[in-house]
């Protein structure tokens, strides 16, 4: 069986756009939504899988064939409203298979010595504590299909009566007793997938600093002071910039003053990313001024390279896609890498306390990257307070351009 690229390897070298995936994954599900709901529960599972170097094929239970099971290296069995209705011969084939199988929510009973194709009744857990890798969260788990199976090894525990686990392993079968739709469950699920895919190494959690959306309406002095701070701390940083989408009714600084501040940031170790539309004509404006564009932020559909921003999933038909929270980088369809902007600075003490909490959560996950986004329009004093709050976590600060190398195709 082909081994999937470990998270540690992802942190060092990222495959080129044309390179074939290291493995194939078959995601089987019964329905997209829970009973009496329109919310797509499969989409967050699919998005979690984009962290890994694997080709994913998604099929409803009625369309699965023996050939599908045979060609897949890894199999996820997701029960959204009930246990997937696989044909008896296919279920028997899956039971005999030595391949890794992840059984999610209503299908979780498959991860046991005597797999059952019948869904157990969901018993929601109110305010249960979920403990994982030194962190603890108080959550409501609904639905919850956790059981204490003899011989199973608990991967994620809960404080529920009887010590029912959230995630466990039984041989080549993995169980996850809830739907990983929202953080921190989606982040916990993504981390458990590292074990599922056989990742043996752990990348050190890290932090990225981003001064976001420096544009001609911002104060160049604040950016220069932030650059001086980063240089004094010997800390790498990113500045995202654009000239086109300037808010109406604001004072615009002289063009050369705006560009000089960017040149100053670049000369003192800053990486300049293009904010917004990633069209060649927009990058060319900066390139002509001697400013290298080395990545992007929130581009519509980047084909390759490094992007900082949000991944979006369509949860409800007809409604706008919503951001997907991730503690780890995600692979883009065109061969690039998305580093989620998952920690946001604010302008008061409570916002910075929330910032520190977000960093603590992210740092508990293997290969977690806390991307601390500080708006360029903030006063330097407020920038400094947020940056100091983030640095108190003692996470190493990395340069995303060198850490996440994306070879050109």
């Amino acid at each position: 069986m082909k081994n999937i690229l470990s998270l540690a390897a992802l942190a060092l070298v990222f495959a080129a756009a044309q390179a074939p995936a290291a493995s194939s994954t078959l995601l089987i599900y019964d329905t997209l939504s829970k009973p009496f709901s329109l919310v797509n529960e499969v989409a967050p599972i699919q998005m979690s899988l984009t962290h890994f170097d694997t080709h994913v094929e998604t099929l409803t239970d009625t369309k699965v064939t023996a050939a599908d099971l045979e060609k897949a290296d890894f199999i996820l069995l997701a029960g959204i409203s009930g246990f997937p209705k696989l044909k008896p011969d296919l279920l028997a084939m899956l039971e005999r298979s030595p391949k890794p199988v992840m059984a999610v929510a209503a299908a979780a009973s498959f991860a046991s010595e005597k797999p059952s194709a019948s869904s157990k009744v969901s018993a929601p857990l109110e305010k249960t504590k979920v403990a994982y890798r030194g962190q603890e969260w108080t959550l409501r788990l609904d639905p919850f299909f956790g059981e204490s199976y003899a011989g199973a090894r608990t991967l994620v525990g809960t404080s529920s009566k009887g010590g029912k686990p959230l995630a466990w392993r039984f041989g080549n079968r993995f169980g996850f007793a809830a739907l990983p739709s929202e953080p921190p469950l989606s982040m916990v699920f993504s981390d458990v997938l590292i074990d599922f895919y056989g990742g043996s190494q752990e990348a050190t959690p890290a932090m990225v600093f981003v001064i976001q959306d420096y544009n001609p309406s911002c104060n160049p002095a604040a950016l220069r002071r932030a650059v001086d701070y980063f240089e004094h701390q010997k800390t790498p940083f990113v500045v995202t910039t654009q000239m086109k989408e300037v808010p109406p009714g604001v004072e615009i600084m002289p063009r050369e003053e705006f560009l000089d501040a960017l040149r100053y940031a670049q000369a003192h170790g800053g990486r300049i990313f293009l904010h917004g539309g990633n069209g060649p004509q927009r990058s060319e404006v900066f390139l002509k001024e001697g400013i290298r564009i080395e990545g992007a932020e929130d581009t519509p559909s980047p084909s390759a390279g490094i992007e900082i921003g949000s991944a979006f999933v369509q949860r409800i038909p007809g409604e706008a896609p919503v951001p997907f929270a991730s503690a780890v980088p995600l692979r883009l369809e065109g061969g690039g890498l998305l580093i989620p902007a998952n920690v946001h600075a604010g302008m008061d003490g409570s916002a910075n306390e929330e910032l520190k909490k977000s960093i603590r959560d992210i740092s508990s996950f293997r290969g977690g990257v806390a991307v601390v986004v500080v708006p360029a329009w903030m006063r330097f004093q407020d920038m400094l307070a947020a940056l100091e709050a983030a640095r108190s976590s003692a996470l190493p600060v990395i340069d995303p351009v060198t850490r996440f190398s994306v070879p050109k195709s």
Side-chain angles (χ1 to χ4, degrees):
M1 181 182 296
K2 301 180 288 259
N3 290 326
I4 194 160
L5 191 65
S6 71
L7 186 58
L10 172 62
L12 298 175
V13 178
F14 190 77
Q18 280 73 27
S23 70
S24 62
T25 298
L26 175 62
L27 170 57
I28 303 168
Y29 69 96
D30 57 331
T31 61
L32 290 175
S33 306
K34 296 183 291 187
F36 311 109
S37 172
L38 294 175
V39 179
N40 186 327
E41 302 290 352
V42 177
I45 298 174
Q46 292 173 308
M47 187 61 71
S48 295
L49 295 174
T50 64
H51 173 55
F52 302 92
D53 187 11
T54 187
H55 170 74
V56 180
E57 183 174 4
T58 304
L59 293 174
T60 55
D61 47 11
T62 58
K63 294 184 178 179
V64 177
T65 66
D68 294 320
L69 296 179
E70 288 172 353
K71 70 182 181 181
D73 296 318
F74 301 88
I75 299 168
L76 271 82
L77 197 61
I80 309 302
S81 63
F83 197 99
K85 297 178 178 62
L86 291 173
K87 295 176 182 177
D89 59 324
L90 297 181
L91 186 61
M93 181 179 174
L94 194 57
E95 291 175 1
R96 295 191 302 268
S97 176
K99 298 177 181 181
V101 178
M102 170 71 78
V104 180
S109 60
F110 187 82
S112 62
E113 184 177 13
K114 297 180 180 179
S116 171
S118 60
S119 302
K120 294 184 180 294
V121 177
S122 166
L125 296 183
E126 303 288 345
K127 295 183 178 180
T128 189
K129 288 182 169 52
V130 172
Y132 186 60
R133 297 182 61 83
Q135 286 294 99
E136 188 175 81
W137 301 272
T138 300
L139 306 173
R140 181 176 189 270
L141 300 179
D142 182 17
F144 181 74
F145 297 90
E147 293 290 339
S148 298
Y149 293 107
R153 178 166 65 91
T154 296
L155 301 176
V156 185
T158 73
S159 62
S160 62
K161 195 172 183 179
K164 296 178 180 178
L166 172 63
W168 63 93
R169 179 175 185 174
F170 189 92
N172 65 311
R173 300 170 189 162
F174 294 74
F176 197 88
L179 290 170
S181 306
E182 305 290 342
L185 275 188
S186 56
M187 296 182 179
V188 172
F189 178 70
S190 179
D191 204 84
V192 171
L193 285 174
I194 296 174
D195 299 314
F196 174 64
Y197 281 116
S200 59
Q201 302 182 55
E202 296 184 16
T204 303
M207 189 158 52
V208 173
F209 283 134
V210 179
I211 303 299
Q212 182 186 50
D213 193 14
Y214 174 70
N215 64 68
S217 70
C218 297
N219 182 352
L223 176 61
R224 286 174 176 267
R225 293 184 69 185
V227 170
D228 291 342
Y229 169 82
F230 289 128
E231 184 176 44
H232 177 73
Q233 298 293 339
K234 295 181 173 56
T235 299
F237 64 99
V238 171
V239 178
T240 69
T241 187
Q242 52 100 2
M243 286 191 283
K244 188 175 180 181
E245 298 163 9
V246 178
V250 299
E251 183 178 347
I252 306 298
M253 78 178 80
R255 173 187 174 90
E256 203 57 31
E257 187 177 356
F258 167 73
L259 293 170
D260 275 346
L262 285 175
R263 294 188 191 101
Y264 186 80
Q266 181 177 270
H268 291 80
R271 302 293 192 174
I272 311 302
F273 283 22
L274 184 64
H275 175 90
N278 193 20
Q281 69 281 4
R282 298 187 64 185
S283 297
E284 198 65 29
V285 173
F286 293 100
L287 293 174
K288 288 179 179 178
E289 299 292 341
I291 298 167
R292 297 186 306 275
I293 300 298
E294 300 186 83
E297 180 192 21
D298 289 333
T299 59
S301 56
S303 59
I306 300 173
E307 179 187 356
I308 288 174
S310 298
F312 289 87
V313 293
Q314 184 80 47
R315 297 299 305 279
I316 299 177
E319 293 190 4
V322 295
F324 175 78
S326 177
V328 292
L330 305 173
R331 293 167 180 268
L332 298 168
E333 286 186 12
L337 185 68
L338 174 69
I339 309 174
N342 47 25
V343 181
H344 297 273
M347 294 181 60
D348 54 36
S350 61
N352 287 332
E353 287 304 311
E354 185 62 29
L355 177 149
K356 289 192 282 189
K357 180 182 180 301
S358 296
I359 293 173
R360 283 196 303 272
D361 286 348
I362 291 167
S363 66
S364 65
F365 300 112
R366 288 169 283 185
V369 181
V371 180
V372 182
V373 177
V374 181
W377 51 259
M378 288 175 66
R379 297 182 311 158
F380 174 71
Q381 292 86 344
D382 296 319
M383 288 185 184
L384 180 62
L387 294 170
E388 288 288 283
R391 288 186 68 248
S392 69
S393 69
L395 274 184
V397 183
I398 60 171
D399 176 353
V401 173
T402 56
R403 175 71 176 267
F404 303 107
S405 175
V406 185
K408 295 184 182 299
S409 56

